[in-house]
Amino acid sequence: MTGIDAPVVIVGAGPVGLATALVLGRHGVRSVVFEQYGGINPHPRAHVVNTRSMELFRTWGIADAVRADAVDPAWAGTILWKQTLAGEPLGRIGVGEGPEDQLLRRLHASAEQLTSCAQDRVQQHLLDAVLTQGMADVRYGTTVVEVTDHGDFVDVTVEGVGERQILRTCYAVAADGATGGMRDSLGIATDGSPVLGHQLNIYFHADLSPWTRQDPALLIWLINSASPGLLIGMDGIRRWTFQRSFDPAVESPQDYPPERCAGIVRDAVGAGELDVDIRSVGSWTMTARTAETYRSGRVFLVGDAAHQFPPTGGLGMNSGLADADNLGWKLAAVLGGYASDTLLDSYERERRPVAVDNARHSMANAVRMAEVGTGPETDGTAARLASPDPVVAAAERRRIAAAIPAQRPHFDALNQEIGYVYGAARHAGAPLAATEYTPAGTPGARLPHAWVERDGERVSTHDLLVPGFTLITGAGGTAWADAFAETAETAAAAETVESGEGVPKRTVVIGRDVTSPDGQCPELLGIGEEGALLVRPDGHIAWHSAGGSSPASALAALLHGAEPPA
């Protein structure tokens, strides 16, 4: 294709847009990222980094940096309900205090664990990785004003400081968020739930240690008449956000100057003399909507442009990161010439059902939260808690305490994080994930984690994967390895992905090249002594066999972009 300025143009330099650029770069594909704002938004929004996202960060080389900026685990595992921060707890959930089998399941499921790191810090680490990689041109202060799909290429018109430019690209990716405008300009509708409400998000700095030092918590729901809402510890020290309901029909964030916001925070804390530094104020809409299609010709939606969930479950940014990982390798496969454009249709088929299920899960959490007394029930609950009748107040406290344990799935849903299987419910209409996560070498599933030893080092099975396809066999799987090698030989430059020539890097990992100290890895993967499985570039299983013959033709088809069987 001639006259192309960049193989891929990405609209939006949020976490998902940067992740898309990073994944493309890992596969040797250059991109240009346009962001209308001047830099990373310092107002922290999302903060949950779930297990799957931490696994991706491990693969991308930024997990340690994200962990270093994350909230102390002693904070991250506790959720509190109070009237005010200075008041006595109404109840709590300690994620680390759940049923032993559930805790062990989470511990053994991954080399990484869910954590909490403010979105602006996550975004900075992604940007640092993209710039270090050197495969993407990130242009801040540049607005995309028009995207024109010509069928064989896409023209992207942008405006910077006094300059208008048209870039020609093979594919464009809309990572501009729920309100960015790209989805609407493409005429893509959304479906889902009606608006549940509108939230004001106040970002502030304050020393809340007099109340948090002895009883730290990441999330603190405050139920009172003066200033109800949710406190989120963004660093466990001084960075906080406070979320509360507001009505955009009669007010806007501009009606909340720093002085008013400081008073709101003081009322929520229950400390009239607290020193509060208001940093910024924003708003967002609570809803669950999913784009009806993720693709319009050569333009694709990722992240919040494709789906929007209530934050009850922390799945928004995390779903977007997995979108980027799924789409990125497929774009690279097509641009590299080893898969047809039809592979890109599998992006929507795989990721949209996950988004629909995540929306269902998030909505169920939001509805369940009302049982505690948040949302539309806040005023009545707060009035009963503050009742001059001690019998009424005590009864309400008991009711809230009894309702809190049922909220645990909101904060501890491992299967929602890593248990989805591409293709598993494509036509069933049922939730993709079962109640409890069970690792299995099922086509479409994420590769199960197991500890193995390689060259005397303890590594995860995820650490064995490469940017291309990875074959894992049992100790007796020589025939599979030979068949895999035969397919690899059909590519003239199998190790040139870094050069940008578009040929996938493919590596064979045979069971005997690593050892399983407990002997459980082959059984966990379902390959035994003579079986094998093929792992896609995004860590999901493309194909699996417990043993038998080794058809090179089947492996070759999978290497050239076939999606997992339904």
Side-chain angles (χ1 to χ4, degrees), residues 283-370:
S283 63
W284 53 276
T285 300
M286 183 179 290
T287 188
R289 308 289 295 175
T290 307
E292 292 183 351
T293 180
Y294 280 23
R295 179 181 189 180
S296 175
R298 289 180 168 267
V299 185
F300 297 84
L301 309 182
V302 294
D304 286 357
H307 45 71
Q308 188 177 6
F309 317 136
T312 40
L315 293 168
M317 179 180 71
N318 293 291
S319 297
L321 294 171
D323 291 345
D325 200 40
N326 185 291
L327 178 61
W329 80 263
K330 292 174 180 176
L331 284 171
V334 175
L335 289 166
Y338 70 95
S340 72
D341 183 82
T342 58
L343 173 65
L344 298 175
D345 291 331
S346 71
Y347 165 62
E348 177 183 324
R349 287 199 297 270
E350 292 181 346
R351 292 303 304 165
R352 191 176 187 278
V354 176
V356 170
D357 192 54
N358 285 343
R360 174 202 60 80
H361 177 77
S362 302
M363 284 291 293
N365 289 339
V367 171
R368 195 182 303 115
M369 282 292 293

Side-chain angles (χ1 to χ4, degrees), residues 25-28 30 135 467 494-501 503 505:
R26 280 171 51 80
H27 292 279
R30 296 188 174 276
M135 294 294 290
E495 302 293 329
T496 60
V497 65
E498 291 86 355
S499 70
E501 295 178 18
V503 180
K505 182 176 181 180

